[in-house]
Amino acid sequence: MKVSYQWLSEYVDLSDCTPQELAEKLTRSGVEVDAVESRNAGVSGCVIGYVKERSKHPDADRLNVCIVDAGQEQDLQIVCGAPNVDKGQKVIVALIGAKLPGGLSIKRSKLRGVESQGMICSAKELGLNDKLLAKDQQEGIMVLPEDAEIGMDAVSYLGLDDSILELGLTPNRSDCLSMLGVAYEVGAILGKEVLLPQIDLVESDEQNPLRVKIDASAECYQYHGRHFKNAKIASSPQWMKNRLMAAGVRPINNVVDVTNYVLLEYGQPLHAFDAGQVADRSIIVRLAQEGETLVTLDDQERKLDAQTLLITDPTKGLAIAGVMGGANSEITGETTEIILEAAWFTPKTVRRTARLLGMRTEGCVRWEKGVDQKRVQEAGERAASLIQKLSGATISKGIASAVEKEPQAAVVSVTLAKINQHLGTSMVASEVSPIFDRLQFPYETANDSWTVTVPTRRGDITLPEDLVEEVARLYGYDNIPTSLPSGVTSQGFLTPEQQLRRTIRRHLIGVGLNEAISYALLHPDRVEDAAGLHQEQVKPVALLMPMSEERSVLRTSLIPSLLETIAYNKNRQNHDVGIFELGRVFLSTEETLTQLPEERLYVGGAVTGQWIPQNWMGAKQAVDFYQAKGIVDSLLARLGIQNVQYKAVSDLKGTHPGRTAEVWAQELRLGYVGQTHPGTEKAYDLNETYVFQLDVAKLVEAATGMGFYNQLPKFPAVTRDLALVVDRTVPAGALEATIREAAGELLESVTLFDVYTGERIASDKKSMAFALVLRNAERTLQDEEIQQVTNAVIEALKVNTGAELRM
């Protein structure tokens, strides 16, 4: 909301308060002022002049020599290049020594040999926003009305000696979306009287021919119509234009400008119809028929639904209630008969229609946040008096009205004890009552208790706590004493899950992955692109009113979101990507949702491209299964999870059947790691991509929270390598488990370091080589012990897996 300081001073005496001081007081009372700006962009030394003569420059076709009466001792000779300058115009003249925006200083000069004693200015040269001017004033010099006074200071005439306070209002303070609402606020802060506008209108003896009917009483509570005849549509006076432009509204004509002026003054949206276009002078407020259309003032045809509120006559629609008028009843230069609408529509009706049609006007903003129901007719009468004054119209006798529901003021009670308890103050009743008086809240008091009848302009006050807030604002936040909190306090701490999440995030960033934060909503087809960690058959949860099909169901896995991110990077020539996400998935087994879905926290990752890019040494390494598995290994080790096993699986949705493994710790299935299925990669247009996904709740259950450390050994270790020939179907994990069991306590570690299939091995066999490290922490091992352990391992391997030593 932009508030003109000069306009505001008509309602509240601001003679002892500068704009900057007023902004400080408003902000301290809870109505934040974002900025205080002067309308003057640097204009001085400019006056209103009259062009007495105009002639062509003798040496320049595009220049004119003008003789201008600027209220000085002598007429001025000014050379002007504007194509629209002409004899008999009132214009803005920058005198010698005048200053204009941008640091321009006007000096006596000669143009093509002809002396120029000043400058005739355009709106842009004066720093005015030409978008708020009429089209005829946007190009060339600024031509003023005939009633402009010659010699008058242009800054004063254009209202540039004003300051604008821009309010940053919270949604509950819709009362300050009007000049009067701000005036009440300022009057309460300064403790001064608020002067309301004078409404002076004269009715004719001719009865108002307008008839009003409300057929949608749930959407429209009241509708009032005034009828005017013999109106003359013309430009508004400069004072009204100045105030509209100060608020960012472009003047149009005297009738439309009045409706916008009263909108800013009272916060009440109004609309004027050309009565000659209204059949039978009859107004009907009804809901639109499904598919009904109306061409609005912006010349757009709007298709309406059955919940859109319309203003109509017996034959056609005239306006979309609260949003925009129709082009078929627009006020034009030929209009002489006018109908003025002042009504109250329910906020939800206007809000829904504005969103449906993608239209948001100044009126919509005020309807959505709430309009004072008790001032609807008063605002209409204020507009009627201004229309009569500016257009010379005759006002028919009486107001055509239809009222379905009378406004009711809220009654709220609060006690002195409650006020002091909430604020931590020790106020007395004699300090509270004057605050309600300054706010102009009628009240009854008894036994340190106030029963307040809240004015309808303050729809945000419904609870005793709201009254406490009003007292606090006017009492002064700086006057409220400070105190330390009392009671038992405890040191904050992180839960095990929070600690684990931080550790996971830091570790994955440390190994070279980037964290991604993606949408929790997916296209329905994407849900099938990845396996989940859940054992039950889950159903994707669909939104009732999605913004688009692309984001219409809640994800059951993190992998589709990560694959979308990989694809987004690839399409922008970033082929080497490693990302992870720590986020929630949403699981439900219901076809039709009757309860909220279960939310589970997963950590997922995806890697593609080169892990080690090519360099001058020629070294490079593409991402493979073991790279992804290594990331998971290092993470689990960092969390202190032991006895991790990887079990090959071939039936996980969206994964490669031969390059995927489930991750287990004891009896817990933590998640999986593997390559994305080639079909899925093709669907996303990806290169070879590897993913992993782990259930954070399972990680919390399995994690010890720390790694394990061993003391450096005093006695040497012995290494024995075993090359084994086994069936191709035997997994390395089975061999490793057999070795560990057979070797017993002397085995320190076992590592698979070679796998071979080829000419010297049978087609159904493979060779796997393991390095065994043996050590006794108490003494040096003897050869006999080492051989005994080796033999035991070889025998166990032969019995359990059919392995034989490769010769």
PDB file of all heavy atoms in Angstrom, residues 524-555:
ATOM      1  N   PRO A 524       3.146 -40.020 -12.578  1.00  0.00           N
ATOM      2  CA  PRO A 524       2.747 -41.398 -12.198  1.00  0.00           C
ATOM      3  C   PRO A 524       3.604 -42.480 -12.845  1.00  0.00           C
ATOM      4  O   PRO A 524       3.874 -43.519 -12.238  1.00  0.00           O
ATOM      5  CB  PRO A 524       1.299 -41.477 -12.673  1.00  0.00           C
ATOM      6  CG  PRO A 524       0.813 -40.072 -12.689  1.00  0.00           C
ATOM      7  CD  PRO A 524       1.996 -39.227 -13.053  1.00  0.00           C
ATOM      8  N   ASP A 525       4.065 -42.268 -14.083  1.00  0.00           N
ATOM      9  CA  ASP A 525       4.869 -43.279 -14.766  1.00  0.00           C
ATOM     10  C   ASP A 525       6.237 -43.446 -14.137  1.00  0.00           C
ATOM     11  O   ASP A 525       6.867 -44.507 -14.247  1.00  0.00           O
ATOM     12  CB  ASP A 525       5.026 -42.916 -16.248  1.00  0.00           C
ATOM     13  CG  ASP A 525       3.695 -42.947 -16.988  1.00  0.00           C
ATOM     14  OD1 ASP A 525       2.748 -43.552 -16.450  1.00  0.00           O
ATOM     15  OD2 ASP A 525       3.610 -42.348 -18.074  1.00  0.00           O
ATOM     16  N   ARG A 526       6.744 -42.404 -13.472  1.00  0.00           N
ATOM     17  CA  ARG A 526       8.091 -42.459 -12.897  1.00  0.00           C
ATOM     18  C   ARG A 526       8.153 -43.314 -11.633  1.00  0.00           C
ATOM     19  O   ARG A 526       9.231 -43.747 -11.230  1.00  0.00           O
ATOM     20  CB  ARG A 526       8.579 -41.041 -12.564  1.00  0.00           C
ATOM     21  CG  ARG A 526       8.747 -40.114 -13.763  1.00  0.00           C
ATOM     22  CD  ARG A 526       9.707 -40.668 -14.772  1.00  0.00           C
ATOM     23  NE  ARG A 526      10.080 -39.691 -15.788  1.00  0.00           N
ATOM     24  CZ  ARG A 526      10.628 -39.994 -16.939  1.00  0.00           C
ATOM     25  NH1 ARG A 526      10.849 -41.258 -17.247  1.00  0.00           N
ATOM     26  NH2 ARG A 526      10.957 -39.056 -17.812  1.00  0.00           N
ATOM     27  N   VAL A 527       7.009 -43.547 -11.011  1.00  0.00           N
ATOM     28  CA  VAL A 527       7.003 -44.338  -9.780  1.00  0.00           C
ATOM     29  C   VAL A 527       7.498 -45.754 -10.045  1.00  0.00           C
ATOM     30  O   VAL A 527       8.122 -46.391  -9.188  1.00  0.00           O
ATOM     31  CB  VAL A 527       5.582 -44.358  -9.170  1.00  0.00           C
ATOM     32  CG1 VAL A 527       5.534 -45.240  -7.947  1.00  0.00           C
ATOM     33  CG2 VAL A 527       5.146 -42.944  -8.810  1.00  0.00           C
ATOM     34  N   GLU A 528       7.267 -46.260 -11.250  1.00  0.00           N
ATOM     35  CA  GLU A 528       7.640 -47.633 -11.595  1.00  0.00           C
ATOM     36  C   GLU A 528       9.110 -47.749 -12.003  1.00  0.00           C
ATOM     37  O   GLU A 528       9.581 -48.842 -12.298  1.00  0.00           O
ATOM     38  CB  GLU A 528       6.760 -48.130 -12.749  1.00  0.00           C
ATOM     39  CG  GLU A 528       5.264 -48.064 -12.457  1.00  0.00           C
ATOM     40  CD  GLU A 528       4.881 -48.955 -11.293  1.00  0.00           C
ATOM     41  OE1 GLU A 528       5.488 -50.044 -11.149  1.00  0.00           O
ATOM     42  OE2 GLU A 528       3.990 -48.571 -10.515  1.00  0.00           O
ATOM     43  N   ASP A 529       9.843 -46.622 -12.014  1.00  0.00           N
ATOM     44  CA  ASP A 529      11.211 -46.640 -12.525  1.00  0.00           C
ATOM     45  C   ASP A 529      12.240 -47.107 -11.507  1.00  0.00           C
ATOM     46  O   ASP A 529      13.424 -47.201 -11.828  1.00  0.00           O
ATOM     47  CB  ASP A 529      11.609 -45.240 -13.016  1.00  0.00           C
ATOM     48  CG  ASP A 529      10.826 -44.836 -14.256  1.00  0.00           C
ATOM     49  OD1 ASP A 529      10.294 -45.738 -14.913  1.00  0.00           O
ATOM     50  OD2 ASP A 529      10.748 -43.630 -14.546  1.00  0.00           O
ATOM     51  N   ALA A 530      11.855 -47.368 -10.274  1.00  0.00           N
ATOM     52  CA  ALA A 530      12.856 -47.706  -9.259  1.00  0.00           C
ATOM     53  C   ALA A 530      12.253 -48.596  -8.190  1.00  0.00           C
ATOM     54  O   ALA A 530      11.052 -48.549  -7.914  1.00  0.00           O
ATOM     55  CB  ALA A 530      13.408 -46.440  -8.622  1.00  0.00           C
ATOM     56  N   ALA A 531      13.124 -49.406  -7.600  1.00  0.00           N
ATOM     57  CA  ALA A 531      12.703 -50.261  -6.484  1.00  0.00           C
ATOM     58  C   ALA A 531      12.644 -49.441  -5.209  1.00  0.00           C
ATOM     59  O   ALA A 531      13.323 -48.435  -5.051  1.00  0.00           O
ATOM     60  CB  ALA A 531      13.694 -51.405  -6.319  1.00  0.00           C
ATOM     61  N   GLY A 532      11.806 -49.895  -4.290  1.00  0.00           N
ATOM     62  CA  GLY A 532      11.767 -49.294  -2.975  1.00  0.00           C
ATOM     63  C   GLY A 532      12.426 -50.204  -1.961  1.00  0.00           C
ATOM     64  O   GLY A 532      12.883 -51.304  -2.277  1.00  0.00           O
ATOM     65  N   LEU A 533      12.480 -49.759  -0.725  1.00  0.00           N
ATOM     66  CA  LEU A 533      13.048 -50.586   0.344  1.00  0.00           C
ATOM     67  C   LEU A 533      11.950 -51.275   1.133  1.00  0.00           C
ATOM     68  O   LEU A 533      12.229 -52.013   2.067  1.00  0.00           O
ATOM     69  CB  LEU A 533      13.887 -49.703   1.278  1.00  0.00           C
ATOM     70  CG  LEU A 533      15.034 -48.937   0.609  1.00  0.00           C
ATOM     71  CD1 LEU A 533      15.835 -48.182   1.653  1.00  0.00           C
ATOM     72  CD2 LEU A 533      15.928 -49.891  -0.151  1.00  0.00           C
ATOM     73  N   HIS A 534      10.690 -51.010   0.784  1.00  0.00           N
ATOM     74  CA  HIS A 534       9.565 -51.561   1.516  1.00  0.00           C
ATOM     75  C   HIS A 534       9.263 -52.976   1.023  1.00  0.00           C
ATOM     76  O   HIS A 534       9.421 -53.295  -0.146  1.00  0.00           O
ATOM     77  CB  HIS A 534       8.346 -50.662   1.319  1.00  0.00           C
ATOM     78  CG  HIS A 534       8.312 -49.996  -0.029  1.00  0.00           C
ATOM     79  ND1 HIS A 534       8.958 -48.792  -0.284  1.00  0.00           N
ATOM     80  CD2 HIS A 534       7.769 -50.395  -1.200  1.00  0.00           C
ATOM     81  CE1 HIS A 534       8.792 -48.486  -1.561  1.00  0.00           C
ATOM     82  NE2 HIS A 534       8.077 -49.426  -2.136  1.00  0.00           N
ATOM     83  N   GLN A 535       8.830 -53.797   1.916  1.00  0.00           N
ATOM     84  CA  GLN A 535       8.484 -55.167   1.564  1.00  0.00           C
ATOM     85  C   GLN A 535       7.022 -55.279   1.129  1.00  0.00           C
ATOM     86  O   GLN A 535       6.667 -56.117   0.312  1.00  0.00           O
ATOM     87  CB  GLN A 535       8.722 -56.091   2.775  1.00  0.00           C
ATOM     88  CG  GLN A 535      10.159 -56.084   3.284  1.00  0.00           C
ATOM     89  CD  GLN A 535      11.139 -56.656   2.268  1.00  0.00           C
ATOM     90  OE1 GLN A 535      10.763 -57.460   1.443  1.00  0.00           O
ATOM     91  NE2 GLN A 535      12.389 -56.220   2.342  1.00  0.00           N
ATOM     92  N   GLU A 536       6.163 -54.405   1.664  1.00  0.00           N
ATOM     93  CA  GLU A 536       4.742 -54.471   1.344  1.00  0.00           C
ATOM     94  C   GLU A 536       4.476 -53.875  -0.041  1.00  0.00           C
ATOM     95  O   GLU A 536       5.300 -53.156  -0.591  1.00  0.00           O
ATOM     96  CB  GLU A 536       3.920 -53.717   2.409  1.00  0.00           C
ATOM     97  CG  GLU A 536       4.209 -52.219   2.470  1.00  0.00           C
ATOM     98  CD  GLU A 536       5.378 -51.859   3.365  1.00  0.00           C
ATOM     99  OE1 GLU A 536       6.260 -52.720   3.577  1.00  0.00           O
ATOM    100  OE2 GLU A 536       5.410 -50.712   3.830  1.00  0.00           O
ATOM    101  N   GLN A 537       3.311 -54.175  -0.577  1.00  0.00           N
ATOM    102  CA  GLN A 537       2.905 -53.631  -1.862  1.00  0.00           C
ATOM    103  C   GLN A 537       2.310 -52.237  -1.638  1.00  0.00           C
ATOM    104  O   GLN A 537       1.211 -52.101  -1.114  1.00  0.00           O
ATOM    105  CB  GLN A 537       1.866 -54.549  -2.516  1.00  0.00           C
ATOM    106  CG  GLN A 537       2.416 -55.882  -2.974  1.00  0.00           C
ATOM    107  CD  GLN A 537       3.437 -55.722  -4.096  1.00  0.00           C
ATOM    108  OE1 GLN A 537       3.255 -54.929  -5.004  1.00  0.00           O
ATOM    109  NE2 GLN A 537       4.513 -56.492  -4.019  1.00  0.00           N
ATOM    110  N   VAL A 538       3.039 -51.214  -2.013  1.00  0.00           N
ATOM    111  CA  VAL A 538       2.581 -49.854  -1.748  1.00  0.00           C
ATOM    112  C   VAL A 538       1.927 -49.271  -2.990  1.00  0.00           C
ATOM    113  O   VAL A 538       2.218 -49.679  -4.110  1.00  0.00           O
ATOM    114  CB  VAL A 538       3.743 -48.945  -1.289  1.00  0.00           C
ATOM    115  CG1 VAL A 538       4.343 -49.462  -0.001  1.00  0.00           C
ATOM    116  CG2 VAL A 538       4.800 -48.823  -2.374  1.00  0.00           C
ATOM    117  N   LYS A 539       1.039 -48.306  -2.753  1.00  0.00           N
ATOM    118  CA  LYS A 539       0.352 -47.598  -3.823  1.00  0.00           C
ATOM    119  C   LYS A 539       0.786 -46.136  -3.794  1.00  0.00           C
ATOM    120  O   LYS A 539       0.798 -45.515  -2.720  1.00  0.00           O
ATOM    121  CB  LYS A 539      -1.174 -47.667  -3.637  1.00  0.00           C
ATOM    122  CG  LYS A 539      -1.711 -49.074  -3.433  1.00  0.00           C
ATOM    123  CD  LYS A 539      -1.601 -49.908  -4.695  1.00  0.00           C
ATOM    124  CE  LYS A 539      -2.221 -51.285  -4.501  1.00  0.00           C
ATOM    125  NZ  LYS A 539      -2.088 -52.129  -5.703  1.00  0.00           N
ATOM    126  N   PRO A 540       1.143 -45.576  -4.934  1.00  0.00           N
ATOM    127  CA  PRO A 540       1.508 -44.151  -4.944  1.00  0.00           C
ATOM    128  C   PRO A 540       0.308 -43.292  -4.578  1.00  0.00           C
ATOM    129  O   PRO A 540      -0.816 -43.544  -5.024  1.00  0.00           O
ATOM    130  CB  PRO A 540       1.958 -43.900  -6.382  1.00  0.00           C
ATOM    131  CG  PRO A 540       1.342 -44.991  -7.180  1.00  0.00           C
ATOM    132  CD  PRO A 540       1.253 -46.183  -6.280  1.00  0.00           C
ATOM    133  N   VAL A 541       0.542 -42.291  -3.745  1.00  0.00           N
ATOM    134  CA  VAL A 541      -0.519 -41.398  -3.293  1.00  0.00           C
ATOM    135  C   VAL A 541      -0.678 -40.276  -4.314  1.00  0.00           C
ATOM    136  O   VAL A 541       0.255 -39.505  -4.549  1.00  0.00           O
ATOM    137  CB  VAL A 541      -0.191 -40.814  -1.901  1.00  0.00           C
ATOM    138  CG1 VAL A 541      -1.289 -39.858  -1.459  1.00  0.00           C
ATOM    139  CG2 VAL A 541      -0.034 -41.949  -0.891  1.00  0.00           C
ATOM    140  N   ALA A 542      -1.873 -40.173  -4.913  1.00  0.00           N
ATOM    141  CA  ALA A 542      -2.136 -39.152  -5.931  1.00  0.00           C
ATOM    142  C   ALA A 542      -2.762 -37.918  -5.291  1.00  0.00           C
ATOM    143  O   ALA A 542      -3.551 -38.015  -4.346  1.00  0.00           O
ATOM    144  CB  ALA A 542      -3.067 -39.716  -7.006  1.00  0.00           C
ATOM    145  N   LEU A 543      -2.398 -36.747  -5.801  1.00  0.00           N
ATOM    146  CA  LEU A 543      -2.991 -35.503  -5.330  1.00  0.00           C
ATOM    147  C   LEU A 543      -4.387 -35.334  -5.925  1.00  0.00           C
ATOM    148  O   LEU A 543      -4.648 -35.729  -7.062  1.00  0.00           O
ATOM    149  CB  LEU A 543      -2.125 -34.309  -5.741  1.00  0.00           C
ATOM    150  CG  LEU A 543      -0.677 -34.288  -5.246  1.00  0.00           C
ATOM    151  CD1 LEU A 543      -0.045 -32.941  -5.567  1.00  0.00           C
ATOM    152  CD2 LEU A 543      -0.601 -34.543  -3.751  1.00  0.00           C
ATOM    153  N   LEU A 544      -5.267 -34.712  -5.168  1.00  0.00           N
ATOM    154  CA  LEU A 544      -6.616 -34.469  -5.670  1.00  0.00           C
ATOM    155  C   LEU A 544      -6.624 -33.379  -6.733  1.00  0.00           C
ATOM    156  O   LEU A 544      -7.318 -33.471  -7.737  1.00  0.00           O
ATOM    157  CB  LEU A 544      -7.540 -34.059  -4.512  1.00  0.00           C
ATOM    158  CG  LEU A 544      -7.949 -35.182  -3.554  1.00  0.00           C
ATOM    159  CD1 LEU A 544      -8.787 -34.605  -2.411  1.00  0.00           C
ATOM    160  CD2 LEU A 544      -8.738 -36.250  -4.292  1.00  0.00           C
ATOM    161  N   MET A 545      -5.809 -32.300  -6.493  1.00  0.00           N
ATOM    162  CA  MET A 545      -5.790 -31.172  -7.433  1.00  0.00           C
ATOM    163  C   MET A 545      -4.343 -30.809  -7.759  1.00  0.00           C
ATOM    164  O   MET A 545      -3.834 -29.785  -7.305  1.00  0.00           O
ATOM    165  CB  MET A 545      -6.535 -29.970  -6.844  1.00  0.00           C
ATOM    166  CG  MET A 545      -7.996 -30.214  -6.556  1.00  0.00           C
ATOM    167  SD  MET A 545      -8.813 -28.779  -5.829  1.00  0.00           S
ATOM    168  CE  MET A 545      -8.676 -27.587  -7.174  1.00  0.00           C
ATOM    169  N   PRO A 546      -3.658 -31.653  -8.528  1.00  0.00           N
ATOM    170  CA  PRO A 546      -2.257 -31.346  -8.863  1.00  0.00           C
ATOM    171  C   PRO A 546      -2.165 -30.158  -9.816  1.00  0.00           C
ATOM    172  O   PRO A 546      -3.076 -29.900 -10.607  1.00  0.00           O
ATOM    173  CB  PRO A 546      -1.775 -32.634  -9.538  1.00  0.00           C
ATOM    174  CG  PRO A 546      -3.011 -33.227 -10.122  1.00  0.00           C
ATOM    175  CD  PRO A 546      -4.122 -32.885  -9.167  1.00  0.00           C
ATOM    176  N   MET A 547      -1.054 -29.428  -9.736  1.00  0.00           N
ATOM    177  CA  MET A 547      -0.838 -28.303 -10.645  1.00  0.00           C
ATOM    178  C   MET A 547      -0.562 -28.795 -12.058  1.00  0.00           C
ATOM    179  O   MET A 547      -0.853 -28.111 -13.033  1.00  0.00           O
ATOM    180  CB  MET A 547       0.313 -27.434 -10.144  1.00  0.00           C
ATOM    181  CG  MET A 547       0.031 -26.753  -8.824  1.00  0.00           C
ATOM    182  SD  MET A 547       1.380 -25.669  -8.307  1.00  0.00           S
ATOM    183  CE  MET A 547       1.325 -24.427  -9.590  1.00  0.00           C
ATOM    184  N   SER A 548       0.031 -29.984 -12.163  1.00  0.00           N
ATOM    185  CA  SER A 548       0.280 -30.578 -13.474  1.00  0.00           C
ATOM    186  C   SER A 548       0.448 -32.075 -13.288  1.00  0.00           C
ATOM    187  O   SER A 548       0.698 -32.560 -12.176  1.00  0.00           O
ATOM    188  CB  SER A 548       1.549 -29.987 -14.108  1.00  0.00           C
ATOM    189  OG  SER A 548       2.692 -30.402 -13.399  1.00  0.00           O
ATOM    190  N   GLU A 549       0.331 -32.831 -14.385  1.00  0.00           N
ATOM    191  CA  GLU A 549       0.496 -34.280 -14.304  1.00  0.00           C
ATOM    192  C   GLU A 549       1.933 -34.644 -13.968  1.00  0.00           C
ATOM    193  O   GLU A 549       2.187 -35.690 -13.374  1.00  0.00           O
ATOM    194  CB  GLU A 549       0.081 -34.928 -15.622  1.00  0.00           C
ATOM    195  CG  GLU A 549       0.007 -36.453 -15.530  1.00  0.00           C
ATOM    196  CD  GLU A 549      -0.436 -37.098 -16.830  1.00  0.00           C
ATOM    197  OE1 GLU A 549      -0.475 -36.378 -17.846  1.00  0.00           O
ATOM    198  OE2 GLU A 549      -0.727 -38.290 -16.830  1.00  0.00           O
ATOM    199  N   GLU A 550       2.879 -33.771 -14.330  1.00  0.00           N
ATOM    200  CA  GLU A 550       4.289 -34.033 -14.058  1.00  0.00           C
ATOM    201  C   GLU A 550       4.556 -34.151 -12.563  1.00  0.00           C
ATOM    202  O   GLU A 550       5.503 -34.809 -12.156  1.00  0.00           O
ATOM    203  CB  GLU A 550       5.156 -32.919 -14.653  1.00  0.00           C
ATOM    204  CG  GLU A 550       5.196 -32.898 -16.167  1.00  0.00           C
ATOM    205  CD  GLU A 550       5.814 -34.162 -16.742  1.00  0.00           C
ATOM    206  OE1 GLU A 550       6.840 -34.616 -16.201  1.00  0.00           O
ATOM    207  OE2 GLU A 550       5.268 -34.702 -17.712  1.00  0.00           O
ATOM    208  N   ARG A 551       3.756 -33.483 -11.747  1.00  0.00           N
ATOM    209  CA  ARG A 551       3.929 -33.504 -10.294  1.00  0.00           C
ATOM    210  C   ARG A 551       2.593 -33.855  -9.640  1.00  0.00           C
ATOM    211  O   ARG A 551       1.978 -33.037  -8.970  1.00  0.00           O
ATOM    212  CB  ARG A 551       4.409 -32.140  -9.792  1.00  0.00           C
ATOM    213  CG  ARG A 551       5.625 -31.593 -10.492  1.00  0.00           C
ATOM    214  CD  ARG A 551       6.872 -32.363 -10.157  1.00  0.00           C
ATOM    215  NE  ARG A 551       8.022 -31.897 -10.927  1.00  0.00           N
ATOM    216  CZ  ARG A 551       9.147 -32.571 -11.049  1.00  0.00           C
ATOM    217  NH1 ARG A 551       9.285 -33.747 -10.449  1.00  0.00           N
ATOM    218  NH2 ARG A 551      10.148 -32.091 -11.757  1.00  0.00           N
ATOM    219  N   SER A 552       2.153 -35.091  -9.831  1.00  0.00           N
ATOM    220  CA  SER A 552       0.800 -35.437  -9.393  1.00  0.00           C
ATOM    221  C   SER A 552       0.740 -36.562  -8.368  1.00  0.00           C
ATOM    222  O   SER A 552      -0.330 -36.801  -7.800  1.00  0.00           O
ATOM    223  CB  SER A 552      -0.060 -35.815 -10.608  1.00  0.00           C
ATOM    224  OG  SER A 552       0.499 -36.906 -11.299  1.00  0.00           O
ATOM    225  N   VAL A 553       1.849 -37.295  -8.134  1.00  0.00           N
ATOM    226  CA  VAL A 553       1.844 -38.355  -7.110  1.00  0.00           C
ATOM    227  C   VAL A 553       3.062 -38.202  -6.217  1.00  0.00           C
ATOM    228  O   VAL A 553       4.112 -37.701  -6.633  1.00  0.00           O
ATOM    229  CB  VAL A 553       1.835 -39.768  -7.743  1.00  0.00           C
ATOM    230  CG1 VAL A 553       0.591 -39.982  -8.574  1.00  0.00           C
ATOM    231  CG2 VAL A 553       3.075 -40.005  -8.572  1.00  0.00           C
ATOM    232  N   LEU A 554       2.911 -38.648  -4.970  1.00  0.00           N
ATOM    233  CA  LEU A 554       4.023 -38.611  -4.022  1.00  0.00           C
ATOM    234  C   LEU A 554       4.980 -39.766  -4.296  1.00  0.00           C
ATOM    235  O   LEU A 554       4.549 -40.876  -4.605  1.00  0.00           O
ATOM    236  CB  LEU A 554       3.496 -38.700  -2.588  1.00  0.00           C
ATOM    237  CG  LEU A 554       2.751 -37.473  -2.064  1.00  0.00           C
ATOM    238  CD1 LEU A 554       2.045 -37.799  -0.753  1.00  0.00           C
ATOM    239  CD2 LEU A 554       3.703 -36.304  -1.873  1.00  0.00           C
ATOM    240  N   ARG A 555       6.264 -39.518  -4.172  1.00  0.00           N
ATOM    241  CA  ARG A 555       7.263 -40.523  -4.504  1.00  0.00           C
ATOM    242  C   ARG A 555       7.309 -41.628  -3.452  1.00  0.00           C
ATOM    243  O   ARG A 555       7.088 -41.388  -2.260  1.00  0.00           O
ATOM    244  CB  ARG A 555       8.644 -39.886  -4.640  1.00  0.00           C
ATOM    245  CG  ARG A 555       9.195 -39.293  -3.348  1.00  0.00           C
ATOM    246  CD  ARG A 555      10.470 -38.514  -3.604  1.00  0.00           C
ATOM    247  NE  ARG A 555      10.983 -37.897  -2.383  1.00  0.00           N
ATOM    248  CZ  ARG A 555      11.991 -37.035  -2.356  1.00  0.00           C
ATOM    249  NH1 ARG A 555      12.593 -36.673  -3.477  1.00  0.00           N
ATOM    250  NH2 ARG A 555      12.414 -36.515  -1.215  1.00  0.00           N
TER     251      ARG A 555
END
